[in-house]
Amino acid sequence: MKVLIETHYLPSVAYFAAVANTNGIILERHEYYVKQTYRNRCHVNTSQGVATLIVPVTARHNKTLITDIRIDYSQKWVNNHWRTIRSAYGNAPFFEHYADDLEKVLYSKNDFLFDLNVRFLSLCLKWLKWGIPVTESLSYETTPQPDTTDLRSLLNSKKQDNLSNFFQASPYTQVFGNAFAGNMSLIDLIFCEGPEAARRVQASIVGK
C-alpha cells in the first residue's frame, strides 16, 4: 500500500511513523498552500523549551498551489534556523555526524518551499536508511486510487488528537530537561539517537 501525503518542513517523528511501512510515498503537489501548518514549520527542543522554526513565504493569498509558494529570503531566517539548531543540538551525541548534510540543504537556497521540503524528506529517509520510493502526484484527486492511503492533512498542528490513532512517542534521552518533548522534528531524534532513530520511529507506531 502506498500513502499520499503533503510535504512538511523538516518533518516530525509522527510523519515518519505514518509512512514507515509503505510501498511508496506520493507527495501531493497539486494542493493549495495552507497557512499555519507543518508545510512551512517544525518544532525543535531547545534550552528554553520547544521552539517553532518557520520558513517565511512571499505568497500569502488563498488558492496558491504549493509548488508556486516562494520562500522569502529577504528575512534572515536561514541563519536564525541554523543558529537555533546548533544551539539546541550542538552537544547532542550525533550532531557532528549529521550536521553537515543538514546545513548543506538548509543553505541550498531553493526558490520554492515544495522543493526545499522534498530535499529534506529525501535527506531524512537517507538518515533512516529507508529505501521507500518517493514520487509526486500527477493531479489532485479527491479520492486516491484503491492501493493508496490518503494521509493528507492527517498531521495537523491544530488537531493533535489525530496522532493517538497511529502514533505514541517512544521516549529517548534528549539534550535538555527531564520532561520528554514528544514528536519533535526528526532532527531531534536523529541528533540524539543516530542509527537507533529508525528503531525508535518503529517503536512509536500504534497497533503495529
Side-chain angles (χ1 to χ4, degrees), residues 187-201:
I187 65 172
D188 184 271
L189 177 59
I190 283 288
F191 288 146
C192 292
E193 291 287 294
E196 285 293 302
R199 187 178 66 82
R200 290 289 187 182
V201 173

Side-chain angles (χ1 to χ4, degrees), residues 34-100:
V34 182
K35 296 188 293 185
Q36 298 181 353
T37 65
Y38 291 126
R39 289 164 180 80
N40 73 322
R41 67 194 62 208
C42 71
H43 299 310
V44 295
N45 193 27
T46 75
S47 60
Q48 304 301 313
V50 176
T52 303
L53 302 180
I54 300 174
V55 179
V57 296
T58 58
R60 299 182 182 278
H61 51 279
N62 294 329
K63 294 194 175 180
T64 303
L65 287 174
I66 184 65
T67 49
D68 292 334
I69 296 295
R70 288 184 175 272
I71 298 173
D72 183 0
Y73 286 101
S74 69
Q75 303 183 43
K76 304 300 182 183
W77 69 271
V78 177
N79 289 339
N80 291 337
H81 284 203
W82 183 238
R83 189 181 304 114
T84 300
I85 290 168
R86 282 196 64 89
S87 176
Y89 300 110
N91 292 325
F94 295 93
F95 180 77
E96 295 299 331
H97 185 76
Y98 298 100
D100 288 347

Side-chain angles (χ1 to χ4, degrees), residues 93-110:
F94 295 93
F95 180 77
E96 295 299 331
H97 185 76
Y98 298 100
D100 288 347
D101 286 344
L102 177 64
E103 183 181 17
K104 182 179 179 180
V105 175
L106 188 62
Y107 279 90
S108 59
K109 206 162 185 179
N110 291 268

Side-chain angles (χ1 to χ4, degrees), residues 61-191:
H61 51 279
N62 294 329
K63 294 194 175 180
T64 303
L65 287 174
I66 184 65
T67 49
D68 292 334
I69 296 295
R70 288 184 175 272
I71 298 173
D72 183 0
Y73 286 101
S74 69
Q75 303 183 43
K76 304 300 182 183
W77 69 271
V78 177
N79 289 339
N80 291 337
H81 284 203
W82 183 238
R83 189 181 304 114
T84 300
I85 290 168
R86 282 196 64 89
S87 176
Y89 300 110
N91 292 325
F94 295 93
F95 180 77
E96 295 299 331
H97 185 76
Y98 298 100
D100 288 347
D101 286 344
L102 177 64
E103 183 181 17
K104 182 179 179 180
V105 175
L106 188 62
Y107 279 90
S108 59
K109 206 162 185 179
N110 291 268
D111 290 331
F112 295 96
L113 178 66
F114 183 85
D115 296 335
L116 177 64
N117 288 352
V118 170
R119 291 193 65 180
F120 271 131
L121 175 61
S122 297
L123 179 61
C124 290
L125 291 172
K126 174 186 172 184
W127 285 342
L128 293 169
K129 293 183 166 54
W130 289 357
I132 303 174
V134 178
T135 58
E136 299 174 7
S137 62
L138 300 177
S139 62
Y140 189 87
E141 297 180 346
T142 304
T143 303
Q145 298 299 314
D147 64 342
T148 302
T149 301
D150 190 353
L151 300 183
R152 292 173 294 186
S153 298
L154 174 68
L155 290 94
N156 189 319
S157 58
K158 297 178 180 179
K159 297 180 180 178
Q160 295 294 322
D161 290 347
N162 289 345
L163 293 181
S164 61
N165 294 326
F166 71 95
F167 175 79
Q168 178 62 54
S170 175
Y172 52 92
T173 301
Q174 294 174 311
V175 179
F176 300 107
N178 296 320
F180 177 70
N183 199 30
M184 297 294 94
S185 166
L186 186 79
I187 65 172
D188 184 271
L189 177 59
I190 283 288
F191 288 146

